[in-house]
Amino acid sequence: EKYMEFDLNNQGEIDLMSVKRMMEKMGAPKTHLELKKMISEVTGGVSETISYQDFVNMMLGKRSAVLKLVMMFEGKANESNPKPSGPPPERDIASLP
């Protein structure tokens, strides 16, 4: 869904302007030079646009910090682990690990 959201021209690739928009939406605007460097790192310098496969590798690969930024921006980072409210339940010796 995120890939399609930023594929502005519906060509199956995220270009420089789409990456610029994505970074601005996340509150981290970048210069054109920084964006070109980011695209080069994601694609390995092979392309000037980010394919779906490159996008998936970027989000789930070693550089998953981008995924964390997107999740934090979307407010979904903490949805899976809601904090319990109220005082903790009483425990006895038998319930300890």
Side-chain angles (χ1 to χ4, degrees), residues 19-91:
V19 175
K20 179 175 174 51
R21 181 174 177 232
M22 178 172 43
M23 296 306 291
E24 287 172 351
K25 189 173 180 183
M26 288 191 300
K30 302 288 182 193
T31 66
H32 279 27
L33 192 57
E34 290 172 318
L35 294 170
K36 285 183 178 183
K37 184 177 178 186
M38 286 174 60
I39 292 172
S40 179
E41 286 181 21
V42 170
T43 64
V46 177
S47 176
E48 293 182 2
T49 58
I50 299 173
S51 68
Y52 179 71
Q53 186 63 44
D54 290 334
F55 184 80
V56 170
N57 290 339
M58 172 183 66
M59 295 302 231
L60 301 177
K62 294 177 184 176
R63 298 177 185 257
S64 63
V66 174
L67 176 62
K68 291 175 188 171
L69 275 174
V70 170
M71 296 296 281
M72 185 170 44
F73 178 75
E74 293 293 325
K76 297 181 180 179
N78 295 323
E79 282 184 8
S80 61
N81 294 329
K83 292 186 177 181
S85 59
E90 290 188 29
R91 299 180 76 181

